[in-house]
Amino acid sequence: MASLGNPQNTIDIIKKYDFVFQKRFGQNFLIDTHVLDKIIRAAGITKDDMVLEIGPGIGTMTQYLAEAAGKVIAVEIDRNLIPILEDTLSEYDNVMVINEDVLKVDLNELAGQYNGGRPIKVVANLPYYITTPIIMGLFESGVPVDNITVMVQKEVAERMQAGPGTKDYGALSLAVQYYAKPYIVANVPPNCFMPRPNVGSAVIRLTRYTDYPVKVSDERLMFRIIRAAFNQRRKTLQNSINNSPELSIGKDDVAAVLKKMGLAASVRGEAMSLEQFAQFTELIKECGR
Ligand code: SAM
């Protein structure tokens, strides 16, 4: 039975091991069983699943995952947490802890070795300082992933889920939505963590598409165009592209493509959908031929 997940048991473990929280590792441990139950349910974990947990901390969520999943691989950077994890996870024989920086681990190899290359589930209360590199790394490296259910800063969750024309819509929304369908599962207040973070948090589930919603022949070019469009939010797409050091696309080509798409010459990136960015990219490529 999971024994962590409430404030007193967490304090007892911290004291037993004289553990000192490391701010630089984004350590805010979950102390609310309702939130933990919600995360496990949202991820839809069964005994057939292999779960990758990023940053197990003292093993609170790991205990819940070990009970729900077939296998859990937990990657933790802080070596001071390893003896604690050996203690709190001693009851479970389906958990493997790796003491590494998750950004340096070959996750494709892990999925291949321990799950026969079948899609894994990723569950984490993420260290907020590296939320975007972790999530985009998982998508871009092509690790076989079924869904990613993670606690992130509330504002970041909102940006991932935002659609065109809203204030939160931007390059992150498009990057995430190219690969996955986002769904905010719950908002989580600071008092559910020890120590309390300064920001609100949210659990978001990103269900990876097996078939991408848009097809582009040059992903790199599309994301360059998207980055340029949101680097200068207040500018028209035409000017943003013109000012981008990453792109060399003529103003006339942009104007011609926008016209072909039935969009105003003054359109801004923040009004364009993923489908429109994909179509724009294809037509721009045709101009260059
Ligand atoms: N899962 C625990 C919980 O919910 O109570 C801890 C979550 S805490 C927000 C983030 C965890 O990620 C910490 O244990 C921290 O040491 C670990 N961490 C930070 N950077 C990491 C990295 N680059 N690779 C692996 N783990 C990391």
Side-chain angles (χ1 to χ4, degrees):
M1 266 302 282
S3 62
L4 295 168
N6 72 56
Q8 194 50 52
N9 292 356
T10 300
I11 290 169
D12 290 347
I13 290 281
I14 303 291
K15 281 203 179 134
K16 180 173 168 190
Y17 287 91
D18 274 333
F19 178 72
V20 180
F21 285 93
Q22 299 273 348
K23 219 174 169 174
R24 74 191 160 113
F25 289 146
Q27 291 175 342
N28 301 95
F29 298 163
L30 261 170
I31 50 166
D32 187 304
T33 54
H34 299 293
V35 175
L36 286 153
D37 284 333
K38 232 180 225 176
I39 296 174
I40 304 295
R41 236 179 298 129
I45 297 164
T46 71
K47 282 286 170 195
D48 286 333
D49 288 317
M50 178 188 132
V51 175
L52 166 70
E53 187 191 8
I54 298 161
I58 59 168
T60 308
M61 193 148 69
T62 327
Q63 292 187 338
Y64 283 70
L65 291 170
E67 281 177 23
K71 177 148 191 81
V72 182
I73 296 187
V75 181
E76 173 56 61
I77 198 170
D78 185 350
R79 66 184 158 84
N80 293 330
L81 286 166
I82 304 304
I84 303 184
L85 287 165
E86 273 164 18
D87 177 0
T88 59
L89 301 174
S90 61
E91 263 184 44
Y92 302 97
D93 58 9
N94 59 342
V95 180
M96 182 170 97
V97 175
I98 300 176
N99 183 201
E100 246 307 352
D101 176 347
V102 72
L103 295 176
K104 295 188 183 144
V105 175
D106 185 342
L107 300 175
N108 262 308
E109 196 182 303
L110 274 189
Q113 194 174 346
Y114 295 101
N115 208 35
R118 280 174 292 121
I120 61 168
K121 289 182 175 157
V122 179
V123 181
N125 169 17
L126 284 179
Y128 292 172
Y129 74 106
I130 43 169
T131 298
T132 309
I134 288 177
I135 291 178
M136 293 319 297
L138 279 164
F139 287 145
E140 287 165 2
S141 61
V143 178
V145 166
D146 180 62
N147 71 52
I148 301 177
T149 306
V150 281
M151 180 86 68
V152 298
Q153 206 174 315
K154 181 168 180 278
E155 186 196 301
V156 175
E158 284 164 357
R159 276 169 35 210
M160 288 183 190
Q161 195 182 243
T166 62
K167 72 168 177 23
D168 295 321
Y169 187 58
L172 182 65
S173 325
L174 286 155
V176 165
Q177 291 167 31
Y178 178 66
Y179 295 102
K181 188 174 169 50
Y183 171 70
I184 294 182
V185 175
N187 287 324
V188 182
N191 62 8
C192 294
F193 301 87
M194 184 184 297
R196 292 178 186 209
N198 297 325
V199 291
S201 303
V203 178
I204 190 164
R205 186 186 62 217
L206 308 171
T207 309
R208 188 162 178 145
Y209 293 122
T210 37
D211 260 334
Y212 288 172
V214 300
K215 305 254 179 296
V216 272
S217 52
D218 192 339
E219 281 177 19
R220 266 169 66 107
L221 178 62
M222 180 174 79
F223 284 113
R224 278 185 179 170
I225 291 171
I226 289 173
R227 265 200 303 277
F230 290 96
N231 254 346
Q232 299 181 300
R233 270 189 104 85
R234 312 240 155 263
K235 292 219 156 71
T236 63
L237 183 72
Q238 221 169 49
N239 283 333
S240 305
I241 288 182
N242 198 42
N243 294 342
S244 165
E246 275 193 320
L247 294 166
S248 55
I249 303 173
K251 259 193 163 175
D252 292 349
D253 285 347
V254 176
V257 167
L258 289 177
K259 197 165 172 203
K260 212 176 211 174
M261 290 175 66
L263 293 173
S266 60
V267 74
R268 290 182 185 170
E270 60 195 18
M272 286 171 59
S273 65
L274 177 61
E275 290 74 16
Q276 286 172 324
F277 274 110
Q279 193 190 359
F280 180 86
T281 307
E282 290 308 306
L283 292 171
I284 281 291
K285 272 201 91 171
E286 279 174 23
C287 291
R289 278 194 198 121

